Amino acid sequence: MTGWKFAFSRRWAGYLALTILFAAVCSGLGAWQLARRDEALTELFKIDSNFDSNPVPVTEALPDLTAFDESQKWMPVELKGIYLTADEMLARNRPLNVNPGFEVLTPLLLTDGTIFIVDRGWLPTGQEQDAPDTVSAPPSGTVTVVARLKASEPDLPGRTANGDQVATINLTTIAARLDQPTYTGAYGLMDTESPAATEKRPAAVVKPIRDEGPHLSYAFQWFVFGLLAFIGLGWALREEYRSVNAEDPDERERADERARKRAAKPRNDAEIEDELLDRQLT
């Protein structure tokens, strides 16, 4: 089978199908990485827009108890009320810098009679029990709190908690426990409280690092892999053409020309050393 007839065989049709499939998978993975980059950029935009902005009254940011939009993530809100320390809860399974711990959730009874859940910070797991060694008390009396908004979390199947602990910060579940009008769209990561507590507060949340991740470079790599598949297919096709048509006068002439070019090509030191060793061995 001379010429290019071999390229239309079943074998090469299979090679082409595998190459297309591989390139399609690579393209899909590249598009997935671009989508992940878009998500990361959206999160960075929320941080840039909201984290250091001036606090607004909670009733302005959240006009009703279920209100919250993802674009409001990290938005500081101002609240005024009294901490309900008797109803304080601990959200379990909250690692910080690979250390296990809890987040302290303290309901704040606002002046209008509604309750807003304030995450006062993180505490490490105790030395001898599955709970913090101590939980610092919040300030008593009326307090003004500035907190950054975060969405309610979903329940996770199979994750449970007992007593004053909760498995996730699911505000609907917490509201049912409190049995009072409670904000269920969002809770707040405490930034400041005035007056401040007499005891050291739990570890505060820090501003997220501004990093979009390596998604763009990963996407580029996947697209290049897909392109290289077709380049490799073309190279293999060319090599087989040369092998199949080795006896063709025109192809033999081209092969001789390639051999002359390789012979005329300057050799490096390693190639010269290899030639000398070969001579010595023979």
Side-chain angles (χ1 to χ4, degrees):
M1 188 180 292
T2 58
W4 290 99
K5 293 180 181 179
F6 72 91
F8 299 95
S9 64
R10 285 188 177 183
R11 179 166 58 89
W12 276 98
Y15 293 160
L16 177 61
L18 287 175
T19 302
I20 293 174
L21 177 61
F22 178 79
V25 171
C26 291
S27 297
L29 290 171
W32 173 63
Q33 287 292 343
L34 290 177
R36 293 194 63 189
R37 179 175 182 262
D38 287 341
E39 293 174 0
L41 292 176
T42 299
E43 288 299 312
L44 292 179
F45 178 77
K46 295 174 190 176
I47 295 170
D48 295 340
S49 301
N50 297 334
F51 199 91
D52 294 321
S53 61
N54 294 323
V56 299
V58 67
T59 52
E60 179 180 325
L62 306 175
D64 59 72
L65 299 182
T66 60
F68 179 73
D69 187 85
E70 267 298 315
S71 63
Q72 295 177 299
K73 185 178 181 181
W74 305 115
M75 176 185 291
V77 295
E78 187 176 79
L79 313 111
K80 191 171 185 178
I82 300 173
Y83 281 122
L84 302 178
T85 54
D87 295 315
E88 193 168 69
M89 290 160 276
L90 298 171
R92 56 186 295 110
N93 296 320
R94 301 284 162 157
L96 179 64
N97 299 328
V98 306
N99 297 310
F102 297 80
E103 291 182 20
V104 182
L105 308 177
T106 311
L108 184 68
L109 178 62
L110 305 181
T111 53
D112 62 359
T114 60
I115 292 177
F116 187 88
I117 303 301
V118 177
D119 185 336
R120 299 190 63 246
W122 179 88
L123 291 173
T125 301
Q127 298 296 321
E128 300 180 357
Q129 72 285 332
D130 187 21
D133 287 332
T134 58
V135 179
S136 58
S140 58
T142 302
V143 62
T144 299
V145 175
V146 173
R148 293 186 173 89
L149 297 178
K150 283 197 74 176
S152 174
E153 299 176 356
D155 280 327
L156 298 178
R159 183 176 291 187
T160 60
N162 298 314
D164 63 349
Q165 298 184 10
V166 293
T168 64
I169 307 178
N170 185 291
L171 297 176
T172 301
T173 302
I174 292 174
R177 176 184 292 197
L178 297 174
D179 196 25
Q180 296 187 60
T182 304
Y183 281 86
T184 56
Y187 68 101
L189 302 171
M190 189 180 77
D191 180 28
T192 62
E193 56 188 2
S194 178
T198 56
E199 303 177 39
K200 183 180 178 181
R201 62 163 289 182
V205 65
V206 296
K207 187 174 183 178
I209 298 174
R210 201 183 189 290
D211 180 16
E212 69 179 61
H215 305 299
L216 184 60
S217 62
Y218 286 170
F220 176 76
Q221 290 173 19
W222 282 118
F223 291 137
V224 169
F225 290 157
L227 178 61
L228 288 176
F230 285 102
I231 293 175
L233 181 68
W235 177 85
L237 191 66
R238 184 195 64 178
E239 291 300 305
E240 183 155 339
Y241 173 85
R242 290 175 176 175
S243 176
V244 168
N245 297 278
E247 301 303 323
D248 180 76
D250 291 337
E251 180 57 30
R252 186 180 299 174
E253 182 178 346
R254 287 192 290 268
D256 292 340
E257 179 64 23
R258 289 193 296 271
R260 284 194 295 271
K261 288 182 178 179
R262 284 195 296 269
K265 185 179 179 181
R267 296 180 298 171
N268 56 39
D269 292 340
E271 292 173 334
I272 295 173
E273 290 176 1
D274 289 342
E275 183 178 344
L276 291 176
L277 287 173
D278 290 338
R279 289 178 180 177
Q280 292 175 358
L281 292 173
T282 57

